[in-house]
Amino acid sequence: MLTLEAIKAKYRKRDASLYASEEYLNSLALLYHDNSKFASWDLMRQGQLAEQMNNPYINERASKPYKVHPGTQFFSFEPYAAVEANLYPDAHLFELQRNRRSVRKFQPYSISMNELYHLLHHAYGITARQAGEGEAAGNTEWSWRTVPSAGGLYPLELYVVVLDGQIPKGLYHYCPERNGLELLSQKVDAAAVEQATSASSFVDAFKASAVVLTTAVFERTFIKYRERAYRFILQECGSVSQNLSLNAEALGLGSCLLGGFMDEPVNDLLGVDGVFESILSVQYIGKNENDNNT
């Protein structure tokens, strides 16, 4: 494992430009990136580790990468899944990509359950299931989702704060296995989210319809991919964030992905420990202030 001093010496030899400055070479991100690089030996070792994990107990646990909250009030998306095919015939992917922009100014708008379904299910929902194969499969059933995930381990969890919607205001957890929302707290409101994120510096936080907060349960991926896992998790989070952005565009809504939030207050808001599960992204959703088609 390379130390920070070893990395500094390595990069000083390459050039004397901005990228060799002390500010850059003191970066913990650079230290991590160098120490998580794969060489041929690492790939061989990774293959051995993956093979060791191929047993019924681990397969059964790894095939259920989602949290559930028994006893919470549950709002099902199933009625909206049944009629999804013909709702948005003009939502062409390439056009959505061209038109997508960060929206920072919202107008009051009550987001529907149908819109929440499309927003979340097509961001990180289960799209197919497959029974495990081989002697080590046990009673495993694997679930596949709308984004690529290293090893099919799906380390992310999506939480939603509904600020103005068809269902009661509050903090919800998106449960892909049950295809719906679990109500965690009705005490979380726009002021609580804004206080935790300082979002008003970037978006019209009090007129948004909802906020989607993505966390990672790091162990799900680290147990198989070790230090490389963090790269995979960030890639997956980026895919989900892009899906959310495009889904919002398809629904005639706007979104804004925040990077400058305060991590620990957001973790406290969600009730996660900030170590084994921690916040990665915060995304505001609402009706564009300049959109008159309400």
Side-chain angles (χ1 to χ4, degrees):
M1 180 175 289
L2 290 175
T3 65
L4 190 56
E5 287 305 315
I7 291 177
K8 286 181 180 181
K10 175 181 176 181
Y11 281 90
R12 280 197 187 98
K13 294 178 181 178
R14 296 198 172 179
D15 65 43
S17 68
L18 175 65
Y19 291 97
S21 69
E22 285 301 316
E23 290 79 5
Y24 186 71
L25 292 174
N26 283 326
S27 168
L28 292 176
L30 181 63
L31 179 64
Y32 165 75
H33 191 82
D34 242 282
N35 280 299
S36 63
K37 289 177 178 177
F38 270 170
S40 58
W41 167 250
D42 298 301
L43 290 172
M44 184 184 303
R45 184 177 60 180
Q46 182 60 61
Q48 293 172 345
L49 178 63
E51 185 59 34
Q52 292 170 11
M53 291 184 61
N54 192 28
N55 67 69
Y57 172 78
I58 293 180
N59 279 331
E60 185 173 351
R61 178 65 188 88
S63 67
K64 296 178 173 59
Y66 41 77
K67 295 172 66 175
V68 293
H69 298 83
T72 57
Q73 187 176 3
F74 185 72
F75 296 82
S76 176
F77 283 142
E78 285 302 314
Y80 309 96
V83 293
E84 68 172 302
N86 299 318
L87 287 178
Y88 304 100
D90 298 326
H92 190 279
L93 176 61
F94 296 154
E95 183 178 356
L96 295 174
Q97 291 172 333
R98 285 194 299 270
N99 292 338
R100 191 222 61 81
R101 297 291 184 273
S102 293
V103 173
R104 303 178 187 279
K105 296 292 184 181
F106 302 111
Q107 59 178 292
Y109 179 77
S110 181
I111 193 168
S112 69
M113 275 290 284
N114 178 63
E115 289 165 324
L116 286 170
Y117 162 70
H118 284 282
L119 191 70
L120 299 168
H121 172 72
H122 293 294
Y124 205 51
I126 293 174
T127 56
R129 300 176 188 271
Q130 179 180 330
E133 300 177 352
E135 294 181 1
N139 296 319
T140 302
E141 181 184 65
W142 293 92
S143 300
W144 311 124
R145 305 202 197 178
T146 56
V147 301
S149 182
L153 298 173
Y154 302 105
L156 305 182
E157 296 287 340
L158 270 58
Y159 298 83
V160 188
V161 179
V162 175
L163 303 175
D164 184 356
Q166 181 180 346
I167 56 177
K169 296 179 181 180
L171 171 65
Y172 294 81
H173 170 251
Y174 173 56
C175 184
E177 173 65 13
R178 299 173 66 191
N179 193 25
L181 295 173
E182 299 167 320
L183 177 59
L184 303 183
S185 173
Q186 287 188 270
K187 296 180 180 180
V188 178
D189 57 13
V193 180
E194 202 286 325
Q195 184 177 9
T197 61
S198 297
S200 289
S201 302
F202 310 100
V203 299
D204 197 348
F206 291 93
K207 289 185 180 178
S209 302
V211 188
V212 180
L213 305 102
T214 303
T215 67
V217 180
F218 298 106
E219 182 186 28
R220 292 180 192 162
T221 308
F222 268 79
I223 195 172
K224 184 173 184 179
Y225 294 107
R226 298 184 178 177
E227 294 305 312
R228 190 78 171 193
Y230 194 63
R231 293 200 199 189
F232 295 150
I233 290 170
L234 294 184
Q235 290 172 358
E236 190 164 334
C237 183
S239 295
V240 171
S241 298
Q242 177 75 332
N243 279 353
L244 286 167
S245 296
L246 296 177
N247 294 348
E249 184 71 27
L251 294 166
L253 301 173
S255 69
C256 186
L257 183 64
L258 300 186
F261 55 85
M262 296 180 291
D263 294 68
E264 291 313 320
V266 177
N267 287 327
D268 292 341
L269 184 81
L270 298 177
V272 301
D273 60 25
V275 178
F276 296 101
E277 180 181 358
S278 187
I279 187 68
L280 289 184
S281 75
V282 176
Q283 202 154 354
Y284 272 77
I285 308 290
K287 195 71 163 178
N288 192 332
E289 183 183 59
N290 298 320
D291 186 352
N292 296 319
N293 297 320
T294 57

